[in-house]
Amino acid sequence: DTAVSQTPKYLVTQMGNDKSIKCEQNLGHDTMYWYKQDSKKFLKIMFSYNNKELIINETVPNRFSPKSPDKAHLNLHINSLELGDSAVYFCASSLGDNTEAFFGQGTRLTVV
Amino acid sequence: GENVEQHPSTLSVQEGDSAVIKCTYSDSASNYFPWYKQELGKRPQLIIDIRSNVGEKKDQRIAVTLNKTAKHFSLHITETQPEDSAVYFCADYNTDKLIFGTGTRLQVFP
Protein backbone atom coordinates (compact mmCIF):
# COMPACT_ATOMS: atom_id res chain seq x y z
CA ASP A 1 0.00 0.00 0.00
CA THR A 2 1.38 3.36 -1.03
CA ALA A 3 1.30 5.75 1.92
CA VAL A 4 1.40 9.01 -0.06
CA SER A 5 0.45 8.81 -3.70
CA GLN A 6 0.33 11.56 -6.27
CA THR A 7 -0.81 11.61 -9.87
CA PRO A 8 0.26 11.98 -12.54
CA LYS A 9 3.90 10.96 -12.32
CA TYR A 10 4.79 12.88 -15.49
CA LEU A 11 3.12 15.92 -16.97
CA VAL A 12 4.19 17.64 -20.18
CA THR A 13 2.19 20.68 -21.20
CA GLN A 14 2.40 23.92 -23.13
CA MET A 15 2.88 27.37 -21.70
CA GLY A 16 -0.35 29.04 -20.74
CA ASN A 17 -2.21 25.83 -19.97
CA ASP A 18 -3.84 24.98 -16.64
CA LYS A 19 -3.04 21.67 -14.94
CA SER A 20 -3.70 19.85 -11.66
CA ILE A 21 -1.73 17.39 -9.58
CA LYS A 22 -3.54 15.18 -7.09
CA CYS A 23 -2.25 13.86 -3.79
CA GLU A 24 -3.71 11.38 -1.35
CA GLN A 25 -2.36 9.92 1.88
CA ASN A 26 -3.68 6.91 3.75
CA LEU A 27 -1.61 7.42 6.90
CA GLY A 28 -4.25 9.30 8.86
CA HIS A 29 -1.97 12.34 9.05
CA ASP A 30 -3.35 15.80 9.79
CA THR A 31 -0.66 17.79 7.96
CA MET A 32 0.08 17.83 4.25
CA TYR A 33 2.60 19.79 2.20
CA TRP A 34 3.59 20.66 -1.33
CA TYR A 35 7.31 21.01 -2.12
CA LYS A 36 8.98 22.08 -5.35
CA GLN A 37 12.32 20.55 -6.37
CA ASP A 38 14.11 22.45 -9.09
CA SER A 39 16.84 21.30 -11.46
CA LYS A 40 19.50 21.97 -8.81
CA LYS A 41 17.65 19.60 -6.46
CA PHE A 42 16.68 22.34 -3.99
CA LEU A 43 13.57 21.29 -2.04
CA LYS A 44 11.42 24.33 -1.28
CA ILE A 45 8.19 24.32 0.66
CA MET A 46 5.23 25.84 -1.15
CA PHE A 47 2.23 25.15 1.05
CA SER A 48 1.34 23.49 4.32
CA TYR A 49 -2.16 22.40 5.32
CA ASN A 50 -3.33 21.16 8.69
CA ASN A 51 -6.67 19.38 8.82
CA LYS A 52 -7.79 21.02 5.55
CA GLU A 53 -6.77 24.51 6.64
CA LEU A 54 -3.99 26.48 4.94
CA ILE A 55 -1.16 27.09 7.42
CA ILE A 56 1.69 28.24 5.21
CA ASN A 57 1.91 29.87 1.80
CA GLU A 58 5.56 30.50 1.07
CA THR A 59 5.11 33.50 -1.27
CA VAL A 60 4.06 31.25 -4.10
CA PRO A 61 2.49 33.06 -7.10
CA ASN A 62 -1.28 33.02 -6.92
CA ARG A 63 -1.34 31.00 -10.16
CA PHE A 64 -0.79 28.10 -7.77
CA SER A 65 -3.90 27.18 -5.82
CA PRO A 66 -3.94 24.24 -3.42
CA LYS A 67 -7.20 22.63 -2.44
CA SER A 68 -7.84 20.22 0.39
CA PRO A 69 -11.30 18.62 0.16
CA ASP A 70 -10.53 16.53 3.23
CA LYS A 71 -7.49 15.89 5.38
CA ALA A 72 -6.41 12.91 3.28
CA HIS A 73 -6.18 14.90 0.04
CA LEU A 74 -4.24 17.96 -1.04
CA ASN A 75 -4.43 18.84 -4.72
CA LEU A 76 -2.44 21.49 -6.54
CA HIS A 77 -3.90 23.46 -9.42
CA ILE A 78 -1.65 25.63 -11.56
CA ASN A 79 -3.00 28.29 -13.92
CA SER A 80 -1.24 29.88 -16.88
CA LEU A 81 1.79 27.62 -16.74
CA GLU A 82 5.20 29.21 -17.34
CA LEU A 83 8.53 27.70 -18.40
CA GLY A 84 9.92 28.36 -14.92
CA ASP A 85 7.27 26.12 -13.39
CA SER A 86 9.10 23.09 -14.79
CA ALA A 87 10.24 21.07 -11.78
CA VAL A 88 9.42 18.00 -9.73
CA TYR A 89 6.56 18.62 -7.32
CA PHE A 90 6.39 16.50 -4.19
CA CYS A 91 3.43 16.06 -1.93
CA ALA A 92 4.17 15.02 1.66
CA SER A 93 2.32 14.36 4.88
CA SER A 94 3.18 14.19 8.56
CA LEU A 95 1.50 13.44 11.86
CA GLY A 96 2.15 16.97 13.08
CA ASP A 97 4.84 19.15 14.56
CA ASN A 98 8.38 17.79 14.73
CA THR A 99 7.56 14.49 13.04
CA GLU A 100 8.73 12.66 9.95
CA ALA A 101 7.39 13.82 6.60
CA PHE A 102 6.45 11.05 4.17
CA PHE A 103 6.81 11.98 0.52
CA GLY A 104 4.87 10.97 -2.55
CA GLN A 105 6.76 9.72 -5.60
CA GLY A 106 6.80 13.15 -7.20
CA THR A 107 5.30 14.66 -10.35
CA ARG A 108 7.75 15.79 -13.00
CA LEU A 109 6.18 18.80 -14.69
CA THR A 110 7.67 19.96 -17.97
CA VAL A 111 6.35 23.15 -19.54
CA VAL A 112 7.24 23.59 -23.21
CA GLY B 1 13.13 33.45 8.12
CA GLU B 2 14.84 30.24 9.11
CA ASN B 3 17.84 29.20 7.03
CA VAL B 4 19.62 25.83 6.83
CA GLU B 5 23.09 25.72 5.30
CA GLN B 6 24.54 22.39 4.18
CA HIS B 7 28.10 21.45 3.19
CA PRO B 8 29.63 20.07 1.09
CA SER B 9 27.48 20.17 -2.02
CA THR B 10 29.30 17.13 -3.46
CA LEU B 11 31.32 14.43 -1.75
CA SER B 12 33.20 11.56 -3.33
CA VAL B 13 34.59 8.74 -1.21
CA GLN B 14 36.09 5.31 -1.73
CA GLU B 15 34.02 2.35 -0.65
CA GLY B 16 34.70 1.59 2.99
CA ASP B 17 35.65 5.15 3.88
CA SER B 18 33.56 7.45 6.07
CA ALA B 19 31.47 10.41 4.89
CA VAL B 20 30.48 13.44 6.92
CA ILE B 21 27.89 16.05 5.94
CA LYS B 22 27.39 19.20 8.02
CA CYS B 23 24.47 21.55 8.49
CA THR B 24 23.94 24.81 10.31
CA TYR B 25 20.61 26.34 11.27
CA SER B 26 19.76 29.84 12.41
CA ASP B 27 16.74 29.68 14.75
CA SER B 28 17.54 28.46 18.26
CA ALA B 29 13.85 27.53 18.70
CA SER B 30 14.22 24.63 16.23
CA ASN B 31 14.25 21.24 17.94
CA TYR B 32 13.74 18.53 15.32
CA PHE B 33 16.42 17.68 12.76
CA PRO B 34 15.81 14.88 10.25
CA TRP B 35 18.06 13.62 7.47
CA TYR B 36 16.65 12.43 4.16
CA LYS B 37 18.19 10.34 1.41
CA GLN B 38 17.04 10.78 -2.18
CA GLU B 39 18.14 8.25 -4.75
CA LEU B 40 18.08 9.19 -8.42
CA GLY B 41 14.52 9.60 -9.64
CA LYS B 42 13.04 8.64 -6.27
CA ARG B 43 11.33 10.41 -3.39
CA PRO B 44 13.24 11.71 -0.33
CA GLN B 45 13.10 9.19 2.52
CA LEU B 46 13.98 9.64 6.17
CA ILE B 47 17.12 7.82 7.24
CA ILE B 48 17.65 9.20 10.74
CA ASP B 49 16.48 12.09 12.90
CA ILE B 50 17.46 13.74 16.15
CA ARG B 51 15.66 15.94 18.65
CA SER B 52 17.17 18.75 20.65
CA ASN B 53 17.21 16.86 23.94
CA VAL B 54 19.76 14.41 22.51
CA GLY B 55 23.35 15.06 21.42
CA GLU B 56 23.92 11.96 19.34
CA LYS B 57 21.96 9.13 17.77
CA LYS B 58 23.21 6.07 15.95
CA ASP B 59 21.59 3.50 13.67
CA GLN B 60 24.02 0.88 12.37
CA ARG B 61 26.40 2.67 9.97
CA ILE B 62 24.64 6.03 10.27
CA ALA B 63 24.97 8.51 13.11
CA VAL B 64 23.84 12.07 13.66
CA THR B 65 25.30 14.57 16.12
CA LEU B 66 23.74 17.81 17.31
CA ASN B 67 25.39 20.82 18.91
CA LYS B 68 22.57 23.15 19.97
CA THR B 69 24.91 25.81 21.27
CA ALA B 70 26.67 26.15 17.94
CA LYS B 71 23.48 25.33 15.96
CA HIS B 72 25.29 22.60 14.04
CA PHE B 73 24.25 19.05 13.23
CA SER B 74 26.07 16.45 11.19
CA LEU B 75 25.48 13.13 9.46
CA HIS B 76 28.18 10.47 9.67
CA ILE B 77 28.17 7.40 7.45
CA THR B 78 30.81 4.78 8.19
CA GLU B 79 31.98 1.92 5.98
CA THR B 80 30.34 3.47 2.94
CA GLN B 81 28.96 1.22 0.22
CA PRO B 82 28.07 1.99 -3.43
CA GLU B 83 24.36 1.87 -2.52
CA ASP B 84 24.92 4.85 -0.21
CA SER B 85 25.36 6.98 -3.35
CA ALA B 86 22.49 9.49 -3.37
CA VAL B 87 21.63 13.08 -2.51
CA TYR B 88 21.34 13.69 1.23
CA PHE B 89 19.31 16.51 2.73
CA CYS B 90 19.38 17.81 6.25
CA ALA B 91 16.26 19.56 7.50
CA ASP B 92 15.03 21.59 10.41
CA TYR B 93 11.45 21.78 11.64
CA ASN B 94 10.64 25.44 12.20
CA THR B 95 7.40 27.40 12.32
CA ASP B 96 5.10 24.60 11.16
CA LYS B 97 7.30 23.42 8.30
CA LEU B 98 10.35 21.36 7.38
CA ILE B 99 13.07 23.53 5.89
CA PHE B 100 15.63 21.63 3.86
CA GLY B 101 19.31 22.24 3.30
CA THR B 102 20.62 22.52 -0.24
CA GLY B 103 21.61 18.85 -0.47
CA THR B 104 24.86 16.88 -0.73
CA ARG B 105 25.48 14.57 -3.64
CA LEU B 106 27.45 11.62 -2.24
CA GLN B 107 29.25 9.29 -4.63
CA VAL B 108 30.82 6.11 -3.30
CA PHE B 109 33.32 4.54 -5.69
CA PRO B 110 33.96 0.78 -5.54
Side-chain angles (χ1 to χ4, degrees):
Chain A
D1 282 346
T2 305
V4 183
S5 61
Q6 50 185 111
T7 55
K9 191 170 180 183
Y10 300 99
L11 192 49
V12 181
T13 188
Q14 290 189 319
M15 280 175 55
N17 283 352
D18 303 339
K19 289 294 177 187
S20 292
I21 306 172
K22 295 187 175 183
C23 179
E24 176 182 4
Q25 53 96 3
N26 62 6
L27 297 166
H29 289 166
D30 284 339
T31 304
M32 295 187 73
Y33 310 90
W34 278 108
Y35 281 86
K36 179 181 179 181
Q37 187 170 46
D38 62 21
S39 56
K40 294 184 179 178
K41 301 295 185 187
F42 297 154
L43 266 170
K44 290 194 176 169
I45 183 135
M46 301 173 67
F47 300 102
S48 168
Y49 268 71
N50 184 271
N51 207 6
K52 304 191 299 176
E53 299 293 324
L54 177 66
I55 302 299
I56 290 166
N57 177 340
E58 284 288 305
T59 59
V60 177
N62 56 16
R63 297 183 295 105
F64 290 79
S65 51
K67 286 210 171 31
S68 182
D70 55 62
K71 74 174 195 176
H73 295 84
L74 180 61
N75 304 322
L76 184 65
H77 188 75
I78 316 169
N79 289 330
S80 305
L81 278 154
E82 300 177 358
L83 292 176
D85 297 332
S86 296
V88 180
Y89 291 84
F90 284 100
C91 175
S93 74
S94 70
L95 202 53
D97 292 353
N98 299 317
T99 60
E100 177 183 358
F102 292 80
F103 283 81
Q105 73 270 38
T107 295
R108 182 175 294 278
L109 171 66
T110 304
V111 182
V112 297
Chain B
E2 173 65 344
N3 187 42
V4 181
E5 293 187 4
Q6 182 171 348
H7 300 280
S9 56
T10 59
L11 181 57
S12 296
V13 299
Q14 205 75 33
E15 183 178 359
D17 287 350
S18 295
V20 180
I21 303 170
K22 299 183 179 183
C23 288
T24 305
Y25 61 99
S26 57
D27 189 344
S28 55
S30 298
N31 54 25
Y32 176 62
F33 307 93
W35 286 87
Y36 284 80
K37 176 183 180 182
Q38 187 179 26
E39 296 176 353
L40 190 62
K42 301 279 181 70
R43 72 191 80 193
Q45 291 192 289
L46 182 79
I47 53 170
I48 195 166
D49 57 13
I50 191 166
R51 298 177 191 279
S52 58
N53 57 347
V54 174
E56 184 174 357
K57 185 175 178 181
K58 195 172 179 182
D59 183 3
Q60 299 183 342
R61 297 185 298 108
I62 294 172
V64 57
T65 58
L66 172 64
N67 182 331
K68 280 222 80 178
T69 305
K71 297 189 199 135
H72 290 167
F73 57 115
S74 300
L75 178 72
H76 304 253
I77 307 174
T78 57
E79 300 170 32
T80 53
Q81 299 167 4
E83 52 265 36
D84 294 330
S85 297
V87 178
Y88 291 81
F89 293 94
C90 62
D92 154 24
Y93 190 88
N94 185 276
T95 324
D96 299 319
K97 59 185 182 275
L98 266 180
I99 298 169
F100 285 86
T102 47
T104 297
R105 185 176 298 279
L106 173 65
Q107 287 187 297
V108 180
F109 293 98

